[in-house]
Amino acid sequence: NSKPISFSSNSTINLDQGDPTVFEPYWRKMGDKCTMVISASDSMSYFSDAGNLCWFLEPKLADAIRNLHREIGNAISNGRHIMVGTGSTQLYQAALYALSSPEGTQPISVVSAAPYYSQYPEETDYLRSGLYKWAGDAYKFDKDDGAYIEVVNSPSNPDGSIREAVVNRAGGKLIHDLAYYWPQYTPITHPADHDIMLFTFSKCTGHAGSRIGWALVKDTEVARKMIKFIELSSIGVSKESQLRAAMILGTLSHSYQNFSSNIPDNFFEYSHCLLAERWKKLREVVERSELFSLPDYPLKHCNFTGKFSQSHPAFAWLQCKEDIDSEKLIKAHKMMVRGGVRFGVEPNYARVSMLSSESVFNIFLQRLSAIGNHLSVMNRGP
Amino acid sequence: NSKPISFSSNSTINLDQGDPTVFEPYWRKMGDKCTMVISASDSMSYFSDAGNLCWFLEPKLADAIRNLHREIGNAISNGRHIMVGTGSTQLYQAALYALSSPEGTQPISVVSAAPYYSQYPEETDYLRSGLYKWAGDAYKFDKDDGAYIEVVNSPSNPDGSIREAVVNRAGGKLIHDLAYYWPQYTPITHPADHDIMLFTFSKCTGHAGSRIGWALVKDTEVARKMIKFIELSSIGVSKESQLRAAMILGTLSHSYQNFSSNIPDNFFEYSHCLLAERWKKLREVVERSELFSLPDYPLKHCNFTGKFSQSHPAFAWLQCKEDIDSEKLIKAHKMMVRGGVRFGVEPNYARVSMLSSESVFNIFLQRLSAIGNHLSVMNRGP
């Protein structure tokens, strides 16, 4: 488990986890507009909304989530059950529980197309559940009998591509992890409409410390089982975090309801520009280096911004053109990143966070340039 | 899953979960003294304390926890790893994970002396883990080969008794769930000193909605595995809840550092008086009814208050003197309670929350009196 380390010009920088500190200056500039005040006697009960199926969900958060999806146009939330989790991490596990059968003699297979999110295998298997079991790359899934769960992560972590289910067999159940389907990362081409859709506050606004995720779920029985999971796992979800998320997400919606072209006040416009600028700088460095390549993303029309744009993913998926372990190579230059093997592909790939603070991002660009220069010199020989 | 219901003179009251709303008036009276203010740019990162083994633990919370245990004298916290969880529920599961062996061919048996906390069996088995498996009442545990985990819940939920490990065999590993080892519930006779001790904000101060629990852990490898569990389960714990808990627990410590006999300002004195008064009223009703009995608790010296006192547990463990299903009988009188079978004992027992609001508690006393009168009339015949 890698930790961030305070950096000098010589110390290691952490680009491993995707800690979204890039958005902090925006929220600092908001000053008191989203400050939460909570007194000692507020929200003491286990219950938030006793009459609701999801009895631990703060109604204000549910409202903020529905409004935001309606305004961004990235997912259908009307007529869906909304449930809150301790990050989408908890909701992913709740969905596995809900989609598996306690009567099954064999655990249900869980697959996702490689490169898949590096945590899916471990989050699926760490308790050696008899209900579900990681079965690897969806492209290579060859068990032809009955039920399976496919996790569709779109846009994909690590590679930023837009994904659809790939197995498409009878008995398949789908979890759509849409953590990055927000306008700063990718054009919003349509409102997503799937059985189970997962989102997270961490990647929407950058509030990773709050551990708030949410799920939009069509089927009532699936929703009921997911709620049961969260009851048994943690008896609900922090009220403080829910109320803060409701306030912050609510402010976003409000800023769009009163839309103005005053860019610094619009979080998604601001963060879209910021990531576009980072990607431009990164592509310049990568093109000069001749050692690495990056995926290309097609130009698409974003219904939210009304403009054509490429994707600017939260991670750079670097492929080394030579047969080199990219994680090791980059680590030798004092940058912690995550190698391809963790994502089910070759070690010449590495995932690098694009969401670091400005100063860390600039050091990253400098050091990445240096790798290219260094190897070019080596290749030319003495 | 029972939900609390708004009540009129005729509606059902919920005494099932132990929602600790009894303490709310105290915190309301505190006014702004423990109000938390958090701006939109605070605590956005996944990390709280990157250099610490428990990298998601807010240092202020760790300090508040150590200070509180030192002042109350209920547990040794010096030299122990402190870790935070989404309630002690998540930490219980983290401890099972940490104490089991991934190399084991058989899941390790998990036992607890009956009547045991009703959630242990389900929290242990809901994922059908290959690592650990619920094996029931510790008194009846007869597997004589190797490792097992015994959960010692003291004071016990549901019956308020002081517990020690009962299996005491080689290969045994212990989890001490000390959720109720606070001065309002029971005399503090010594500082607890065990390998793994679990506490929760919910039962200490009544802030159940925050979902904050903590563990004091001796062994570094066990601590490391518990942290790994929380990483995989939820990538850490709400910063907002941690900061609020730090502030509220910190205020308690502070009020004792500047000890005064001004009772309303001292949370533990206040809540001790409040529960003592409720227990006095309940015992009067139970003695008159002749249908139920309650456990007796010995008089013990409390090192914290400096006085002799009985226990005043968070739950009343009602035993019906006749061969009647107590949960059904009480439910027929519009009170939701939890029957003995859920705790591994006979159905003539029922657990009733003593932590409801004042108005609900008074309705409980009235209705319990009515049951006694009703049955007495029936027994005398026409």
Side-chain angles (χ1 to χ4, degrees):
Chain A
N1 294 303
S2 33
K3 313 281 166 58
I5 291 166
S6 67
F7 54 88
S8 68
S9 61
N10 202 27
S11 62
T12 299
I13 57 172
N14 184 357
L15 301 162
D16 181 359
Q17 284 94 4
D19 203 18
T21 43
V22 62
F23 303 127
E24 201 184 292
Y26 176 87
W27 295 111
R28 207 176 305 124
K29 205 162 46 63
M30 292 289 278
D32 286 342
K33 282 184 202 161
C34 295
T35 295
M36 182 176 73
V37 177
I38 184 164
S39 83
S41 62
D42 289 338
S43 300
M44 291 183 67
S45 171
Y46 288 104
F47 294 91
S48 294
D49 188 7
N52 188 358
L53 190 66
C54 191
W55 53 267
F56 50 80
L57 170 63
E58 287 290 326
K60 281 181 189 169
L61 178 59
D63 290 346
I65 287 169
R66 281 193 210 281
N67 287 340
L68 189 62
H69 284 304
R70 197 179 303 120
E71 284 153 36
I72 305 296
N74 62 338
I76 306 279
S77 64
N78 282 343
R80 305 297 184 275
H81 296 283
I82 292 184
M83 63 209 53
V84 64
T86 310
S88 61
T89 300
Q90 189 183 35
L91 289 163
Y92 168 71
Q93 293 167 62
L96 296 183
Y97 175 78
L99 295 179
S100 60
S101 163
E103 293 81 33
T105 50
Q106 286 293 317
I108 190 169
S109 295
V110 181
V111 298
S112 188
Y116 43 71
Y117 175 41
S118 53
Q119 295 306 96
Y120 290 150
E122 218 175 352
E123 286 174 11
T124 307
D125 281 351
Y126 70 124
L127 297 176
R128 293 209 295 168
S129 173
L131 299 175
Y132 43 78
K133 191 173 167 54
W134 180 249
D137 184 359
Y139 287 116
K140 296 179 184 161
F141 183 60
D142 57 6
K143 257 179 83 176
D144 212 4
D145 52 339
Y148 65 91
I149 297 171
E150 181 175 347
V151 196
V152 182
N153 180 208
S154 181
S156 155
N157 170 359
D159 73 1
S161 64
I162 300 301
R163 298 282 185 85
E164 291 184 353
V166 305
V167 181
N168 297 315
R169 258 183 243 150
K173 298 172 182 187
L174 299 177
I175 299 171
H176 279 79
D177 179 348
L178 306 182
Y180 300 95
Y181 193 43
W182 295 103
Q184 67 267 48
Y185 304 116
T186 198
I188 303 302
T189 56
H190 68 288
D193 182 13
H194 305 285
D195 290 348
I196 301 178
M197 297 187 280
L198 307 183
F199 290 93
T200 167
F201 194 35
S202 305
K203 306 306 178 185
C204 175
T205 64
H207 291 85
S210 304
R211 314 307 312 122
I212 289 292
W214 65 91
L216 305 177
V217 179
K218 270 187 194 167
D219 184 82
T220 303
E221 274 318 300
V222 170
R224 204 184 296 279
K225 285 183 75 180
M226 288 179 72
I227 290 160
K228 180 77 184 166
F229 176 95
I230 292 171
E231 286 175 22
L232 290 167
S233 166
S234 60
I235 323 185
V237 177
S238 160
K239 310 294 182 222
E240 292 87 344
S241 289
Q242 289 191 62
L243 292 171
R244 184 156 175 245
M247 169 174 270
I248 289 172
L249 296 176
T251 308
L252 291 186
S253 298
H254 191 68
S255 76
Y256 285 105
Q257 280 165 353
N258 306 290
F259 196 95
S260 77
S261 59
N262 181 5
I263 290 175
D265 280 340
N266 281 282
F267 172 74
F268 291 109
E269 296 274 355
Y270 167 91
S271 50
H272 178 269
C273 292
L274 203 150
L275 285 173
E277 185 64 25
R278 285 195 174 185
W279 271 92
K280 186 163 166 278
K281 288 180 182 168
L282 175 63
R283 287 194 186 276
E284 285 167 9
V285 167
V286 166
E287 272 159 36
R288 273 202 305 274
S289 89
E290 294 181 5
L291 180 64
F292 294 107
S293 68
L294 285 167
D296 283 320
Y297 302 105
L299 213 59
K300 288 187 182 171
H301 186 263
C302 178
N303 295 339
F304 174 71
T305 60
K307 296 175 192 157
F308 279 85
S309 168
Q310 290 184 329
S311 288
H312 303 113
F315 295 101
W317 184 232
L318 282 172
Q319 181 182 10
C320 186
K321 292 175 185 170
E322 305 188 28
D323 187 21
I324 286 175
D325 183 317
S326 289
E327 180 182 329
K328 275 193 192 157
L329 172 65
I330 299 171
K331 205 172 173 183
H333 288 75
K334 297 187 180 293
M335 294 179 278
M336 279 151 52
V337 299
R338 200 169 290 183
V341 175
R342 293 275 303 277
F343 303 90
V345 297
E346 295 68 37
N348 64 321
Y349 285 93
R351 190 193 77 168
V352 184
S353 171
M354 293 292 284
L355 304 184
S356 66
S357 68
E358 192 68 13
S359 51
V360 168
F361 182 73
N362 289 332
I363 294 173
F364 161 56
L365 291 183
Q366 286 165 21
R367 291 187 186 171
L368 195 67
S369 303
I371 300 180
N373 297 337
H374 181 64
L375 283 203
S376 301
V377 171
M378 277 170 60
N379 285 349
R380 276 198 299 273
Chain B
N1 293 302
S2 33
K3 314 281 165 60
I5 289 166
S6 66
F7 54 90
S8 68
S9 62
N10 202 27
S11 63
T12 299
I13 56 172
N14 184 356
L15 302 162
D16 180 359
Q17 284 93 4
D19 202 19
T21 42
V22 60
F23 303 126
E24 202 184 292
Y26 176 86
W27 295 111
R28 208 177 305 124
K29 207 164 43 67
M30 290 290 277
D32 287 341
K33 281 184 203 161
C34 296
T35 295
M36 181 176 73
V37 177
I38 183 164
S39 84
S41 61
D42 288 338
S43 299
M44 292 183 66
S45 170
Y46 288 104
F47 294 91
S48 294
D49 189 6
N52 188 359
L53 190 66
C54 192
W55 53 266
F56 49 81
L57 169 63
E58 288 290 325
K60 281 181 189 166
L61 179 58
D63 290 346
I65 288 168
R66 281 193 209 281
N67 286 339
L68 189 61
H69 284 305
R70 197 178 303 121
E71 283 152 36
I72 304 299
N74 62 339
I76 304 280
S77 63
N78 282 344
R80 304 297 184 274
H81 296 284
I82 293 186
M83 65 208 55
V84 64
T86 310
S88 60
T89 300
Q90 189 182 35
L91 289 163
Y92 168 71
Q93 293 168 61
L96 294 183
Y97 174 78
L99 296 179
S100 60
S101 164
E103 293 80 33
T105 50
Q106 286 293 316
I108 190 169
S109 295
V110 181
V111 299
S112 188
Y116 43 71
Y117 174 41
S118 53
Q119 295 306 95
Y120 290 151
E122 220 175 348
E123 286 175 10
T124 308
D125 281 351
Y126 71 124
L127 296 176
R128 294 209 297 168
S129 173
L131 300 176
Y132 44 77
K133 191 174 168 51
W134 179 250
D137 184 0
Y139 287 115
K140 296 179 183 162
F141 182 61
D142 56 8
K143 257 180 83 176
D144 212 2
D145 51 339
Y148 66 90
I149 298 170
E150 180 175 348
V151 197
V152 181
N153 182 207
S154 181
S156 156
N157 169 1
D159 73 0
S161 64
I162 299 302
R163 298 282 185 86
E164 292 183 354
V166 305
V167 180
N168 297 316
R169 258 182 243 152
K173 299 171 183 188
L174 299 176
I175 299 171
H176 279 78
D177 179 350
L178 306 182
Y180 300 95
Y181 193 42
W182 295 103
Q184 68 266 50
Y185 303 117
T186 197
I188 303 301
T189 56
H190 66 288
D193 182 14
H194 305 286
D195 289 347
I196 301 178
M197 298 188 280
L198 306 183
F199 290 92
T200 167
F201 194 35
S202 305
K203 306 306 177 183
C204 174
T205 63
H207 291 85
S210 304
R211 314 309 310 121
I212 290 291
W214 65 90
L216 305 177
V217 178
K218 269 188 196 168
D219 184 82
T220 302
E221 274 318 298
V222 170
R224 203 183 297 278
K225 285 183 74 178
M226 289 180 72
I227 289 161
K228 180 77 183 167
F229 177 96
I230 292 171
E231 286 176 21
L232 289 168
S233 166
S234 61
I235 322 186
V237 177
S238 162
K239 310 293 181 223
E240 292 87 344
S241 290
Q242 289 191 62
L243 291 172
R244 184 157 175 245
M247 169 175 270
I248 289 172
L249 296 176
T251 309
L252 291 187
S253 298
H254 193 69
S255 76
Y256 284 106
Q257 280 166 350
N258 306 289
F259 197 96
S260 77
S261 59
N262 180 7
I263 288 175
D265 279 342
N266 280 284
F267 173 74
F268 292 109
E269 296 276 353
Y270 166 91
S271 49
H272 178 269
C273 291
L274 203 151
L275 285 174
E277 184 64 24
R278 285 195 174 185
W279 271 93
K280 186 162 166 278
K281 288 180 182 169
L282 175 63
R283 287 193 185 278
E284 283 167 12
V285 167
V286 166
E287 271 158 35
R288 273 202 306 275
S289 88
E290 293 183 6
L291 180 63
F292 292 107
S293 69
L294 285 167
D296 283 320
Y297 302 105
L299 213 58
K300 288 186 183 171
H301 185 263
C302 177
N303 295 340
F304 174 72
T305 60
K307 295 174 194 158
F308 279 84
S309 169
Q310 289 184 331
S311 288
H312 303 113
F315 295 100
W317 185 233
L318 282 172
Q319 180 181 12
C320 186
K321 293 175 186 171
E322 305 189 28
D323 187 20
I324 285 175
D325 184 317
S326 289
E327 180 181 328
K328 275 192 192 156
L329 172 65
I330 299 171
K331 205 172 174 182
H333 289 75
K334 296 187 180 294
M335 294 178 279
M336 279 150 51
V337 299
R338 200 169 290 184
V341 175
R342 294 276 301 278
F343 303 90
V345 298
E346 294 70 35
N348 64 323
Y349 285 94
R351 190 194 76 168
V352 184
S353 172
M354 293 293 283
L355 304 184
S356 67
S357 68
E358 193 67 14
S359 51
V360 168
F361 182 72
N362 289 332
I363 294 173
F364 160 57
L365 292 183
Q366 287 164 23
R367 292 186 186 171
L368 194 68
S369 301
I371 298 179
N373 295 339
H374 181 64
L375 284 201
S376 301
V377 170
M378 276 171 59
N379 285 349
R380 276 198 301 273

